[in-house]
Amino acid sequence: MPEAVETLDGWYCLHDFRKIDWSAWKQASKEERQEALNEFNDLLTGWEEVESNRNGSVGLYQIIGQKADLLIMNLRPTMEELTELENTFNKSKLAEFLIPAYSFVSVVELSTYMAKGKDPETDPELQARLKPMLPKWEHICFYPMDRKREGDNNWFMEEKDERGRLMYEHGMTGRKYAGKVRQIITGSIGFDDWEWGVTLYAHDMLQFKKLIYEMRFDEVSARFAIFGEFFIGHRKTKDDLNEIMGV
């Protein structure tokens, strides 16, 4: 029988997508809107302090298109911490004006293909990849994905060495975009409806299209990949919120 590949698992991750209820937001008083923004600023400041202590990371993004308006991405050492911060945010004043659009629960993951015999507890490169600080790059692209389990194209029935070969070739395509695109791969088997989440960062949004298009021709993608919805957007800070939410 094909052999499962062990994974190295790091921080837990929550992608929290929200739509803005503009009708309700416009009907609120100026004082009520400012109270909501001030409270969220305090929440975001607290999350940034966690990041400064390297006990997690946070990113705020404005999403393009009708699927969502905002993305809050948080990473933490435990799932309980993610649950607590999500619950706290849901109780906030700003959350009263936001409609949940989509969420993705996962854990930062590296396969042992990528570890190459390194010790994940001591190797600084592996530690940085398993406990990543979210890049302060201008743009983000997120999508979930599965591997096919159909007839001759059943990923989980391929031999371990063959899967390793396919993933190595896939990785070589990605290396062409070093310095142009950064990625965080998270595993969600048993956590969410999809098997993996891919979060990409770039300063030039066109690089997302170029990379993903080229990767479609890799054998591992052409034969085995199933993609979910794509979300793209721009990195924002709490200083941008007044402009985003201004009416």
Side-chain angles (χ1 to χ4, degrees):
M1 294 295 292
E3 181 182 352
V5 176
E6 293 184 14
T7 60
L8 305 176
D9 301 299
W11 279 345
Y12 293 90
C13 183
L14 173 63
H15 293 73
D16 188 344
F17 293 88
R18 307 280 175 128
K19 290 184 177 181
I20 300 169
D21 185 344
W22 286 112
S23 295
W25 184 249
K26 291 175 181 178
Q27 291 174 11
S29 66
K30 181 178 179 181
E31 292 75 20
E32 192 175 13
R33 292 196 298 268
Q34 193 58 53
E35 177 189 351
L37 291 175
N38 289 343
E39 184 185 15
F40 182 71
N41 274 332
D42 290 342
L43 274 178
L44 196 54
T45 297
W47 295 341
E48 290 172 347
E49 288 175 358
V50 170
E51 181 174 74
S52 66
N53 293 324
R54 304 193 71 82
N55 290 321
S57 193
V58 62
L60 174 66
Y61 309 92
Q62 186 174 17
I63 301 301
I64 309 165
Q66 299 300 308
K67 297 172 186 173
D69 294 308
L70 300 173
L71 163 61
I72 303 166
M73 183 177 174
N74 263 298
L75 295 101
R76 290 292 185 276
T78 68
M79 191 73 84
E80 288 80 4
E81 290 170 274
L82 284 183
T83 304
E84 181 179 352
L85 68 84
E86 181 187 19
N87 190 41
T88 300
F89 178 52
N90 284 336
K91 294 177 182 178
S92 71
K93 187 70 176 177
L94 183 61
E96 296 177 15
F97 300 96
L98 302 178
I99 303 167
Y102 184 70
S103 69
F104 195 78
V105 179
S106 55
V107 62
V108 178
E109 176 183 294
L110 289 176
S111 72
T112 50
Y113 296 134
M114 308 299 294
K116 299 179 181 178
K118 298 176 182 177
D119 185 347
E121 298 298 325
T122 59
D123 185 83
E125 180 184 353
L126 289 182
Q127 281 289 301
R129 295 183 67 178
L130 292 169
K131 302 175 182 179
M133 295 291 110
L134 297 182
K136 302 297 191 282
W137 289 25
E138 294 302 311
H139 309 295
I140 189 172
C141 172
F142 169 78
Y143 59 94
M145 63 173 294
D146 283 347
R147 294 293 188 202
K148 286 182 183 176
R149 297 187 293 275
E150 301 173 355
D152 293 335
N153 295 325
N154 187 330
W155 175 254
F156 298 97
M157 292 303 292
E158 293 290 321
E159 294 294 335
K160 180 180 178 181
D161 289 346
E162 176 65 5
R163 282 179 274 138
R165 179 189 71 81
L166 292 168
M167 291 305 297
Y168 176 79
E169 292 178 354
H170 194 56
M172 293 304 292
T173 300
R175 288 185 183 184
K176 297 179 184 179
Y177 292 83
K180 299 178 181 178
V181 179
R182 294 181 64 181
Q183 71 173 15
I184 296 174
I185 304 297
T186 55
S188 49
I189 295 176
F191 291 159
D192 219 306
D193 297 336
W194 294 84
E195 295 169 344
W196 289 278
V198 180
T199 308
L200 305 176
Y201 300 88
H203 291 300
D204 176 4
M205 189 167 279
L206 192 59
Q207 296 302 320
F208 296 144
K209 177 180 181 292
K210 292 180 179 295
L211 169 63
I212 294 168
Y213 176 70
E214 186 171 353
M215 283 188 162
R216 293 287 172 100
F217 290 90
D218 292 342
E219 184 178 357
V220 68
S221 292
R223 289 183 57 199
F224 298 105
I226 303 172
F227 299 96
E229 289 188 302
F230 281 70
F231 297 83
I232 59 170
H234 314 293
R235 177 178 171 268
K236 299 295 180 180
T237 69
K238 57 176 178 261
D239 295 332
D240 297 315
L241 274 174
N242 284 332
E243 180 179 354
I244 294 171
M245 303 298 295
V247 293

